[in-house]
């Protein structure tokens, strides 16, 4: 019994808790920056349109509904355990030290791999203005993200909010131009049709919908980042769940509304089948608009890397005080 107690005992209290300085608005700026609606719209959604056709709107709507259920779970857990460290801290408290350690190992893999991989994509979207070396650009983005993450969390909210504003402006412009060039009836959104690049009509079946649903859910992922900030949110008993839900709602609108505009405003079924959103945008507003949208995607990538470094730092911040490892490792 003593061994079991040692395995499942809750972590010891930390003396170095982070100050509660974030409002819900600041938390939403940081959380929404991790969702990166700009990159979701122009990187994740286009391949989804290729497989879902005009049914992509139905797929994203169902994905938002599923994500809302997950968001409520995050909100409840973040409210119950308003501490830094995200899923790692929550799992350690609910399921014990062993499960917490396994979660930390999984988190460590994401800490090491995901931000640099995302950073490598920056050069591609800056190519409309300047050609840069991909590895060097990724390294610079990681360096800038790390330097920014060293600032206090309110300064980070200001920086990421600025980048986020660029994303939202780009999405808004796409929506405006798309609705100004409508080629399809809104009824096509409820009667999905798929046309491949060869012009052949394909059925929108349940299996097609379920396949796209997995990608659609991924489109809105990132709202769980709010629990990484729960130790710094003011009045966490109310602000954590509000941060999670407002972030998800904003992401659904920023991604969903321009997607509807693109589906209705694309010049032909072949344009949708190719899934080249930048080409569609250029056909509406010319090269200048397409270039701005491409640069906004680069800004979204940089923004996401900053927030990931920020939340990963909080995982490392709370790890050693919990004494999950042997004393030489717990610094």
């Amino acid at each position: 019994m003593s061994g079991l107690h040692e395995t499942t005992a809750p972590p010891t209290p930390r003396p170095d808790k982070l100050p509660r300085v974030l409002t819900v608005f600041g938390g939403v700026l940081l959380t929404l920056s991790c969702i990166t609606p700009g990159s979701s719209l122009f990187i994740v959604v286009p391949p989804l349109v290729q497989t879902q056709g005009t049914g992509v709107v139905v797929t994203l709507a169902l994905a938002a509904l599923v994500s809302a259920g997950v968001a409520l779970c995050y909100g409840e857990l973040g409210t119950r355990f308003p501490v830094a460290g995200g899923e790692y801290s929550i799992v350690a408290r609910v399921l014990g030290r062993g499960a917490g350690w396994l979660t930390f190992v999984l988190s460590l893999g994401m800490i090491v791999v995901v931000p640099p991989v995302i950073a490598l994509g920056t050069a591609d979207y800056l190519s409309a203005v300047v050609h840069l070396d991909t590895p060097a650009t990724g390294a610079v983005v990681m360096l800038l993200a790390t330097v920014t993450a060293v600032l206090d969390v309110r300064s980070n909210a200001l920086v990421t909010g600025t980048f986020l504003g660029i994303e939202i402006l780009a999405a808004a412009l796409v929506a405006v131009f798309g609705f100004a060039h409508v080629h399809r009836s809104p009824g096509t959104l409820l009667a999905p049709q798929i046309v491949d690049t060869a012009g052949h009509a394909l059925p929108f079946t349940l299996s097609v919908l379920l396949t796209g649903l997995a990608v659609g859910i991924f489109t809105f992922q990132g709202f769980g980042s709010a629990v990484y900030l729960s130790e710094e949110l003011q009045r966490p008993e109310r602000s954590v769940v509000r941060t999670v839900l407002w972030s998800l709602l904003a992401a659904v609108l920023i991604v969903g509304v321009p997607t509807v505009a693109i589906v209705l405003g694309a010049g032909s079924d072949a344009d949708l089948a190719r899934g080249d959103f930048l080409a569609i945008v250029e056909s509406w507003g010319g090269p200048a608009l397409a270039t701005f949208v491409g640069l906004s995607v680069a800004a979204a990538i940089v923004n996401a890397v900053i927030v990931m470094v920020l939340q990963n730092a909080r995982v490392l911040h709370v790890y050693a005080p919990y004494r999950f490892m042997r004393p030489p490792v717990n610094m």
Side-chain angles (χ1 to χ4, degrees):
M1 292 296 292
S2 60
L4 179 62
H5 176 74
E6 181 181 356
T7 301
T8 59
T12 55
R14 285 174 35 239
D16 56 342
K17 289 187 176 181
L18 300 171
R20 296 196 179 279
V21 295
L22 271 182
T23 62
V24 171
F25 181 71
V28 169
L29 289 180
L30 289 166
T31 304
L32 192 57
S33 296
C34 190
I35 299 175
T36 59
S39 61
S40 293
L41 176 61
F42 293 102
I43 297 176
V44 181
V45 174
L48 191 61
V49 171
Q50 289 180 301
T51 61
Q52 305 287 296
T54 60
V56 66
V57 177
V58 173
T59 302
L60 288 178
L62 290 177
L65 183 62
V66 174
S67 297
V70 179
L72 289 172
C73 294
Y74 269 102
E76 175 66 23
L77 290 169
T79 302
R80 178 68 179 83
F81 305 105
V83 292
E87 295 93 344
Y88 154 63
S89 293
I90 293 173
V91 170
R93 284 171 167 78
V94 175
L95 300 178
R97 295 178 183 273
W101 181 81
L102 290 175
T103 305
F104 173 78
V105 171
L106 295 175
S107 300
L108 187 62
M110 297 182 63
I111 290 172
V112 173
V113 175
V114 176
V117 169
I118 293 176
L120 288 173
T122 310
D124 293 337
Y125 289 93
L126 291 176
S127 61
V129 177
V130 59
H131 292 283
L132 299 170
D133 179 71
T134 298
T137 304
V140 171
V141 170
M142 286 302 303
L143 178 61
L144 291 175
T146 303
V147 171
T148 305
V150 172
L151 303 174
D152 66 89
V153 71
R154 284 180 293 190
S155 298
N156 275 280
L158 177 62
V159 172
T160 56
T162 302
F163 281 109
L164 184 62
I166 298 173
E167 293 182 58
I168 295 174
L169 176 59
L173 287 173
V174 170
V176 169
F177 276 88
F179 288 126
H181 294 80
V182 170
H183 288 85
R184 292 174 182 78
S185 166
T188 59
L189 302 178
L190 301 178
Q193 56 184 9
I194 306 173
V195 178
D196 62 19
T197 53
H200 301 133
L202 304 174
F204 185 77
T205 62
L206 179 61
S207 61
V208 171
L209 172 62
L210 293 178
T211 301
L213 190 59
V215 180
I217 293 172
F218 176 76
T219 302
F220 302 124
Q221 285 303 300
F223 50 80
S225 297
V227 302
Y228 288 80
L229 305 168
S230 58
E231 189 170 306
E232 296 161 275
L233 284 168
Q234 300 170 1
R235 303 184 65 184
E237 68 278 2
R238 301 176 60 183
S239 60
V240 174
V241 67
R242 291 181 179 183
T243 301
V244 173
L245 294 179
W246 277 117
S247 299
L248 175 59
L249 177 60
V252 170
L253 291 176
I254 296 170
V255 175
V257 174
T259 299
V260 172
I262 288 172
V263 169
L264 296 180
S268 66
D269 292 335
D271 291 336
L272 279 181
R274 284 191 291 270
D276 190 346
F277 279 14
L278 289 181
I280 295 174
V281 169
E282 184 172 355
S283 70
W284 295 335
L289 178 61
T291 298
F292 174 74
V293 169
L295 293 177
S296 74
V297 177
I301 293 173
V302 174
N303 212 18
V305 173
I306 291 174
V307 178
M308 286 182 182
V309 171
L310 193 69
Q311 70 182 35
N312 292 342
R314 276 140 183 80
V315 175
L316 295 175
H317 173 71
V318 300
Y319 183 71
Y322 287 160
R323 301 293 187 265
F324 289 131
M325 301 293 285
R326 295 295 180 184
V329 182
N330 290 312
M331 295 179 291

